[in-house]
Amino acid sequence: MTESLTVRDNRTGQEYDVPIADGTIKAADLGKIKAGDDEPGLAVYDPGFVNTASCRSSVTYIDGEKGILEYRGYPIEQLAEGSTFLEVAYLLIHGALPTKAEYEQWEHEITFHTFVHENVKGFMEGFRYDAHPMGMLMASVGALSTFYPEASMIQDAENRQMQIVRMIAKMPTLGAWSFRHAQGKPFVYPDNELSYTANFLSMLFKMSESKYEADERLVKALDTLFILHADHEQNCSTNAVRSVGSSQVDPYSAVAAGIGALYGPLHGGANEAVLRMLRRIGSKSEIPAFIEGVKNGNERLMGFGHRVYKNYDPRAKIIKKACDDVFEVTGVNPLLEIAQELEKIALEDEYFVQRKLYPNVDFYSGLIYEAFQFPPEMFTVLFAIGRTPGWLAQWLELTQDKEQKIARPKQIYTGDRGLEFTPRDVRWA
């Protein structure tokens, strides 16, 4: 039996049978519903695309009601516990976990391509001393398209793979150099003897020592954070990558658009807002007054609730556990005690329970980043490095999806019509 939706247009009295597939109806089928032959068809008004599917994807599955997040069918909890970021990146790009030989080849290729052209170094040195690291990252990723003009040949599968490897490899280098530039420190070149995440920490923090050796607990914690951020379905930045990528532009330009979207405080900057909130609360004794302020609309509870999750964000549980390993090395962030007490009260308070306001991934991630001694403006750069494989997996899927077209949403026009133009010598007389 074919599932369908019967729609009666009360303007005309006509009924339409609209097929249902995968819990959706096609917008084109609604477009067939017209008040008259010379009238436009029915369209859907959906600001923010809160209930509109723009693509079919096999990359990431989310069940917000049950708090489930899976990459290519694998639960995020299992990947965070037993995998590495590069292995997860391979999974997202290729659709399956690698064999030992495949992983070793993948790791070798990524490591080999961590270096960037010396002109990129000059490009980044040209930014003002106080340039925001995200602005530098966005510009430098976009600039890579000029170093690899062959990247525009997106129909060539081998070429696509080459650009994917390059971008995953070079993102930590660009991110670390944007950090060093802001501090007025010399850039550190990649160390091919280190793992992906350990190499990133070396480029960030190496000074006069011959070789930088990061604590393995910190390497594991940051690698886990990269895994948790690797993809998250059709969020704002992924939608930007797909929308720009639908013009068949090169992947560097498409990912630069994703970085631009992530730059916004409503997307990538939420964990910084959590830290500001915790500092404003100041102590555990002030939490009850803050909670009352939230209920009265005078305060905002940052790091709780999510557009998708109506349950505990599964990533938040993993980050909370990672906090223990990090603080064992760095010492406990005094804000952690406030965060834990705030979470305890909010999870028990009927006001927040009824509204399904559970901690999200941003609630604890900022505490970990701060423990690493990252300034807040670097938080989103770390997010972008972790999200790069997801953006590229979504872009790769887009390039091979025959149903996809160049993004061109409809609009509802609300301006004037049919005005008579008056020449300026009359208007200005």
Side-chain angles (χ1 to χ4, degrees):
M1 177 181 173
T2 303
E3 293 186 334
S4 65
L5 180 72
T6 300
V7 179
R8 177 183 173 85
D9 187 346
N10 291 324
R11 299 171 300 177
T12 62
Q14 188 171 347
E15 289 192 351
Y16 299 83
D17 197 43
V18 182
I20 299 174
D22 301 319
T24 65
I25 60 173
K26 288 187 175 180
D29 288 333
L30 288 181
K32 298 173 183 177
I33 302 175
K34 301 180 178 182
D37 291 339
D38 56 351
E39 293 289 323
L42 204 61
V44 177
Y45 179 57
D46 188 13
F49 307 113
V50 296
N51 195 37
T52 298
S54 62
C55 64
R56 296 178 184 274
S57 178
S58 61
V59 178
T60 296
Y61 173 78
I62 297 175
D63 186 328
E65 293 295 331
K66 297 178 181 177
I68 294 172
L69 171 61
E70 297 175 352
Y71 296 161
R72 300 289 190 181
Y74 292 96
I76 189 65
E77 295 85 354
Q78 294 178 20
L79 293 172
E81 178 69 27
S83 192
T84 66
F85 176 65
L86 279 190
E87 190 175 19
V88 169
Y90 185 99
L91 169 67
L92 290 170
I93 298 298
H94 295 90
L97 290 168
T99 64
K100 185 174 185 291
E102 288 169 339
Y103 181 75
E104 288 175 349
Q105 178 63 25
W106 173 251
E107 186 179 41
H108 170 76
E109 289 176 352
I110 298 291
T111 303
F112 181 80
H113 285 282
T114 52
F115 283 79
V116 297
H117 195 287
E118 279 293 289
N119 286 359
V120 175
K121 179 181 176 183
F123 174 77
M124 296 189 74
E125 288 173 335
F127 284 96
R128 274 178 55 108
Y129 69 93
D130 59 351
H132 196 291
M134 273 296 278
M136 292 182 66
L137 184 67
M138 178 170 59
S140 55
V141 168
L144 289 181
S145 66
T146 67
F147 288 88
Y148 307 109
E150 70 275 16
S152 62
M153 298 185 295
I154 65 170
Q155 302 307 325
D156 184 326
E158 189 173 329
N159 179 62
R160 288 196 304 261
Q161 182 66 17
M162 183 74 264
Q163 310 317 319
I164 286 171
V165 166
R166 281 173 172 157
M167 201 175 315
I168 294 174
K170 298 178 193 310
M171 283 292 283
T173 307
L174 298 177
W177 285 8
S178 67
F179 173 75
R180 302 283 290 201
H181 179 82
Q183 296 190 325
K185 295 176 181 177
F187 294 168
V188 176
Y189 288 98
D191 184 342
N192 286 352
E193 294 182 0
L194 297 175
S195 69
Y196 185 87
T197 304
N199 175 50
F200 177 53
L201 289 171
S202 172
M203 290 188 289
L204 287 165
F205 299 122
K206 185 175 184 291
M207 294 301 290
S208 59
E209 64 268 47
S210 59
K211 193 174 187 68
Y212 180 85
E213 294 184 7
D215 190 294
E216 281 303 314
R217 290 167 292 182
L218 297 181
V219 174
K220 172 60 179 174
L222 188 56
D223 202 66
T224 298
L225 283 165
F226 284 160
I227 290 172
L228 298 182
H229 284 125
D231 195 59
H232 207 242
E233 206 200 45
Q234 302 307 309
N235 52 79
C236 177
S237 58
T238 300
N239 179 65
V241 170
R242 277 185 170 266
S243 183
V244 172
S246 72
S247 72
Q248 297 190 353
V249 74
D250 67 89
Y252 300 104
S253 299
V255 168
I259 295 171
L262 192 62
Y263 202 165
L266 294 183
H267 190 7
N271 46 21
E272 184 179 349
V274 171
L275 289 179
R276 286 197 301 267
M277 174 190 72
L278 295 175
R279 288 195 180 93
R280 194 170 68 252
I281 294 172
S283 68
K284 287 172 61 175
S285 62
E286 296 298 320
I287 292 177
F290 174 79
I291 292 289
E292 284 304 309
V294 172
K295 293 178 181 179
N296 295 330
N298 300 321
E299 297 280 3
R300 289 192 66 191
L301 183 61
M302 308 305 298
F304 280 72
H306 194 277
R307 169 75 73 82
V308 174
Y309 295 113
K310 306 306 175 190
N311 201 318
Y312 206 108
D313 184 337
R315 301 170 300 172
K317 294 180 180 178
I318 300 167
I319 286 183
K320 188 176 179 181
K321 184 180 177 183
C323 280
D324 296 335
D325 292 336
V326 172
F327 293 144
E328 190 176 290
V329 180
T330 65
V332 176
N333 188 325
L335 297 178
L336 177 64
E337 191 178 55
I338 301 173
Q340 290 174 330
E341 182 67 17
L342 182 61
E343 177 189 14
K344 180 176 179 293
I345 292 174
L347 290 177
E348 294 173 352
D349 193 298
E350 192 63 27
Y351 176 90
F352 301 104
V353 173
Q354 284 183 350
R355 288 163 175 77
K356 298 185 177 180
L357 293 177
Y358 297 91
N360 60 40
V361 70
D362 299 307
F363 189 65
Y364 283 105
S365 62
L367 292 171
I368 292 182
Y369 292 152
E370 193 170 69
F372 273 91
Q373 299 185 328
F374 290 118
E377 56 268 22
M378 270 297 292
F379 292 178
T380 322
V381 172
L382 301 168
F383 194 155
I385 293 170
R387 182 55 54 88
T388 297
W391 284 334
L392 291 168
Q394 298 275 350
W395 171 82
L396 186 63
E397 195 173 60
L398 167 81
T399 63
Q400 301 170 86
D401 186 348
K402 294 181 180 179
E403 289 188 345
Q404 285 299 305
K405 302 176 182 178
I406 185 169
R408 213 307 188 174
K410 284 184 174 290
Q411 67 165 25
I412 300 173
Y413 180 71
T414 61
D416 295 325
R417 292 284 316 282
L419 300 179
E420 289 289 337
F421 174 73
T422 305
R424 61 175 176 264
D425 55 349
V426 175
R427 297 198 314 274
W428 297 349

